[in-house]
Amino acid sequence: MNPSPSTLKDVAAAAGVSISTASRALAGNPVIAERTRERVRRCAEELSYRPNPQARALRSARTNIIGVALPSLINPFFARMAHAIQQEAADNHLCTIISSTAEDTKQLHYSLDVLANQRVDGILAVPHQGSEDSFEKLAKARIPVVLVDRELPGAGLPTVASDPLPGMDAAVAHLVTNGHRHIGYLPGPANASTARGRLAAFEEACGRHGVDKREIHRGDAMELLERGVEAIIAGDTTLSLNALETLHTHKVAIGQDLAFIGFDDNLTMRLQAYPVSVIDQGVDNLGRTALNLLIALIADADAPESITTPTSLIIRPSSDFRRPHT
Amino acid sequence: MNPSPSTLKDVAAAAGVSISTASRALAGNPVIAERTRERVRRCAEELSYRPNPQARALRSARTNIIGVALPSLINPFFARMAHAIQQEAADNHLCTIISSTAEDTKQLHYSLDVLANQRVDGILAVPHQGSEDSFEKLAKARIPVVLVDRELPGAGLPTVASDPLPGMDAAVAHLVTNGHRHIGYLPGPANASTARGRLAAFEEACGRHGVDKREIHRGDAMELLERGVEAIIAGDTTLSLNALETLHTHKVAIGQDLAFIGFDDNLTMRLQAYPVSVIDQGVDNLGRTALNLLIALIADADAPESITTPTSLIIRPSSDFRRPHT
């Protein structure tokens, strides 16, 4: 019986290092310590590891350029992601070229085309709902692709996305502990995988912490204010920024009358008279993890599996006050 | 005597259109109205206009891709500039690939190299002090380049930058009219052309509006607060954001105790309990103007001259209050 050939993943596991470290160690990359390189090489030999021929063919034409397709650069979440990817790429002696798709599926298709024609080593992309076709073309051209932030079910592409539950759970627990009884949630568009996942996480967290169903509210910021909620949780960066504008315009005393928790950290959330608590995806980690997964995929077409990163709660004055209930 | 041959600029002037419109009209671009295309063609004929042969040679190899090198994507000013350039490019059926240089001269050099090797039609770049060498290489490779935001004296490249004086003059006048007597200024790094120009504009504006020299202060936000200034003007985006953080941390009542005017508009300035007045460069206009200048340069290597855009003051509650002096 012929065992299936070892993969880079097997070598990495045997050497006790990450796939990306194993890949770079075998490539003789000097950023990896000599001792580690030696250990990885020994493991590869013992396992009779042979790099995937397809990956090797690609490698011979390496450009050391990574293409990045993001929906927007004025959304601070994606701008920060672009920055993190570019920094991690520089640390790995790679260059990035970034294309913004303006949240438009046609534009995404065009951007991926342009990046593919630029002979990049691989592509990191935030997909749009219904953009499967654009990615199929890349697969046919054997261009390694990793998705980040949003899933594209059925595309079969390795994806790095965050799990909203830990952060959402901590947020609801924090509000309940501080006596905020009517909790409003600002949900994102129902056709986005991230929005659906976060709403489900919010509802699960409310269930876990015994929030009465009559004390859970959904709607836009104005509707929630009119219903007299005591706390608001936003479901993404754009919703957080829009809610902040509504609250300021209506002179709501954030951190005194209303507890407000945003989603994703950014400058605008931090630089407030009452800095805003956020459910944090750790966008730097998300971007860096996605780039390392792509590096592994470029090194060995069989290697990577999708990765889920955690979310957490950053508590700031906007929500950190107790509400005395009579 | 042989008159010098007509340029695209002459044709544009004769037809009463911009250089970029003239260029697109002659290329038969359907985004230009048929009547305009006809008029431009007639003027070109009357002036015996011949496209620059070097530009024509380049054109035969057009990729319709514009390279953009910016210092940062987490600085909201440059993120917004990238967005504006990308939008204007899409309107002109061009695609952009963006490279961030992390304010590092080596990284800029590498980015320009990568973009040049990608066979872009031209490059828009924000230069760093001392980056002349990197641009000389592009000139040798006959790649059209337009600089934006910062000047690089001696590089002889067409540049689009803003004139700080109109905005600075309006800001000082606004503060003086409202009775703020001790005005503090946060200057940028003295080795940056923009920072020197803005400081000079601030001092000229103070002179024009009769501010006593003993009532003008310079330093960082903490120093200015300790000296008891009644108003603060910031010299760039980063200084504005840092000052906002200092003011919030020290619980200074912006718009009540202290008049604060930032430089460059962004979300964080707008989304405040007391939204922040800004001296606005109109970053969208800056980016779009630079792209159109590059389009003209790609069409005709002789055409473009540098362009200076105006600044203006956007008055918001952070500075819009009168101080009663006894």
Side-chain angles (χ1 to χ4, degrees), chain A:
Chain A
M1 200 182 92
N2 230 345
S4 64
S6 346
T7 64
L8 184 61
K9 202 172 152 190
D10 302 327
V11 176
V17 298
S18 71
I19 292 173
S20 122
T21 300
S23 153
R24 287 180 284 177
L26 291 175
N29 189 325
V31 300
I32 308 298
E34 175 52 38
R35 271 180 60 187
T36 310
R37 277 186 273 159
E38 191 42 50
R39 189 167 75 248
V40 174
R41 271 196 291 261
R42 223 171 32 242
C43 294
E45 208 169 305
E46 283 164 17
L47 291 165
S48 307
Y49 168 72
R50 292 281 169 276
N52 183 305
Q54 180 177 312
R56 207 174 350 179
L58 277 171
R59 189 185 307 138
S60 65
R62 288 277 174 86
T63 56
N64 291 323
I65 297 168
I66 301 293
V68 183
L70 297 173
S72 162
L73 288 171
I74 47 171
N75 178 321
F77 176 72
F78 293 116
R80 179 84 210 183
M81 182 183 283
H83 177 79
I85 291 169
Q86 189 250 328
Q87 294 286 99
E88 184 71 14
D91 290 351
N92 283 279
H93 307 284
L94 298 169
C95 190
T96 50
I97 54 180
I98 298 162
S99 183
S100 163
T101 64
E103 287 286 11
D104 178 282
T105 304
K106 262 191 205 155
Q107 184 69 39
L108 171 66
H109 189 88
Y110 185 44
S111 287
L112 293 175
D113 241 27
V114 167
L115 293 175
N117 288 332
Q118 298 297 311
R119 298 211 310 118
V120 292
D121 290 345
I123 291 177
L124 274 184
V126 177
H128 305 176
Q129 193 77 4
S131 58
E132 286 83 357
D133 290 357
S134 312
F135 288 98
E136 258 174 36
K137 234 176 117 182
L138 296 180
K140 278 184 195 148
R142 298 189 192 283
I143 296 170
V145 175
V146 166
L147 304 182
V148 58
D149 184 45
R150 299 179 191 155
E151 292 168 359
L152 193 61
L157 292 167
T159 303
V160 177
S162 73
D163 174 7
L165 192 56
M168 204 62 88
D169 189 81
V172 172
H174 165 68
L175 293 176
V176 168
T177 305
N178 281 293
H180 304 292
R181 295 266 279 274
H182 284 268
I183 303 179
Y185 182 72
L186 301 167
N191 67 349
S193 67
T194 43
R196 287 193 305 271
R198 290 171 196 172
L199 176 60
F202 168 71
E203 287 173 345
E204 183 174 341
C206 285
R208 282 189 191 181
H209 296 286
V211 181
D212 188 303
K213 285 212 168 141
R214 286 161 302 181
E215 295 190 335
I216 301 175
H217 307 266
R218 282 197 268 159
D220 67 28
M222 265 322 293
E223 288 165 357
L224 296 177
L225 287 180
E226 280 159 10
R227 280 197 236 157
V229 300
E230 296 179 348
I232 289 179
I233 299 178
D236 67 27
T237 296
T238 304
L239 292 164
S240 304
L241 294 168
N242 290 346
L244 196 57
E245 183 161 30
T246 302
L247 299 177
H248 281 325
T249 304
H250 291 84
K251 307 217 177 299
V252 174
I254 299 167
Q256 297 173 89
D257 293 340
L258 182 91
F260 178 49
I261 300 180
F263 204 99
D264 287 322
D265 203 14
N266 61 58
L267 268 179
T268 307
M269 297 292 131
R270 287 195 293 278
L271 300 189
Q272 296 289 327
Y274 284 71
V276 176
S277 303
V278 291
I279 296 170
D280 187 27
Q281 294 191 78
V283 63
D284 285 6
N285 180 41
L286 209 55
R288 288 176 179 270
T289 302
L291 184 77
N292 280 307
L293 190 61
L294 181 60
I295 290 174
L297 181 63
I298 292 167
D300 180 347
D302 294 328
E305 280 170 24
S306 293
I307 295 175
T308 302
T309 64
T311 49
S312 64
L313 178 68
I314 301 176
I315 297 174
R316 298 197 180 115
S318 74
S319 66
D320 200 19
F321 63 102
R322 295 189 71 84
R323 190 180 294 273
H325 271 281
T326 50

Side-chain angles (χ1 to χ4, degrees), chain B residues 3-241:
Chain B
S4 64
S6 343
T7 64
L8 183 61
K9 201 171 154 192
D10 303 325
V11 176
V17 298
S18 71
I19 293 173
S20 121
T21 299
S23 154
R24 287 179 286 175
L26 291 175
N29 189 324
V31 300
I32 307 297
E34 175 52 36
R35 272 181 60 186
T36 310
R37 277 185 273 160
E38 190 42 49
R39 188 169 75 246
V40 173
R41 272 196 290 262
R42 223 172 31 241
C43 293
E45 208 170 303
E46 281 163 18
L47 291 165
S48 307
Y49 168 72
R50 292 281 169 278
N52 183 306
Q54 179 178 312
R56 207 174 351 178
L58 276 172
R59 189 185 308 138
S60 66
R62 288 278 174 85
T63 57
N64 292 322
I65 298 168
I66 302 294
V68 183
L70 298 173
S72 161
L73 288 171
I74 46 171
N75 179 321
F77 176 73
F78 293 116
R80 178 86 209 181
M81 183 182 284
H83 176 79
I85 291 169
Q86 190 250 327
Q87 293 286 98
E88 184 71 14
D91 290 350
N92 284 280
H93 308 284
L94 298 169
C95 190
T96 49
I97 53 180
I98 299 161
S99 183
S100 163
T101 64
E103 287 285 9
D104 179 280
T105 304
K106 262 191 206 156
Q107 183 70 38
L108 171 66
H109 190 87
Y110 184 44
S111 287
L112 292 176
D113 241 27
V114 167
L115 292 175
N117 288 333
Q118 298 295 312
R119 299 210 312 117
V120 292
D121 290 344
I123 291 176
L124 275 184
V126 177
H128 305 175
Q129 194 78 2
S131 58
E132 287 82 357
D133 291 357
S134 312
F135 289 97
E136 259 174 37
K137 234 176 118 182
L138 296 180
K140 276 183 198 151
R142 299 190 190 284
I143 295 170
V145 176
V146 167
L147 303 183
V148 58
D149 184 46
R150 299 178 191 156
E151 292 168 359
L152 194 62
L157 291 168
T159 303
V160 177
S162 73
D163 174 7
L165 192 56
M168 204 61 90
D169 189 81
V172 172
H174 166 69
L175 293 176
V176 168
T177 305
N178 281 294
H180 305 291
R181 294 267 279 275
H182 283 269
I183 303 178
Y185 183 72
L186 301 166
N191 68 350
S193 67
T194 43
R196 288 192 305 270
R198 290 172 196 173
L199 176 60
F202 169 71
E203 287 173 344
E204 183 174 341
C206 286
R208 283 187 189 183
H209 296 285
V211 182
D212 189 304
K213 285 213 168 139
R214 285 161 302 180
E215 296 190 334
I216 302 175
H217 307 266
R218 281 197 269 160
D220 66 30
M222 265 321 293
E223 287 165 358
L224 296 178
L225 286 181
E226 280 160 10
R227 281 196 234 158
V229 298
E230 297 178 346
I232 290 179
I233 299 178
D236 67 27
T237 295
T238 304
L239 291 163
S240 304
L241 294 169

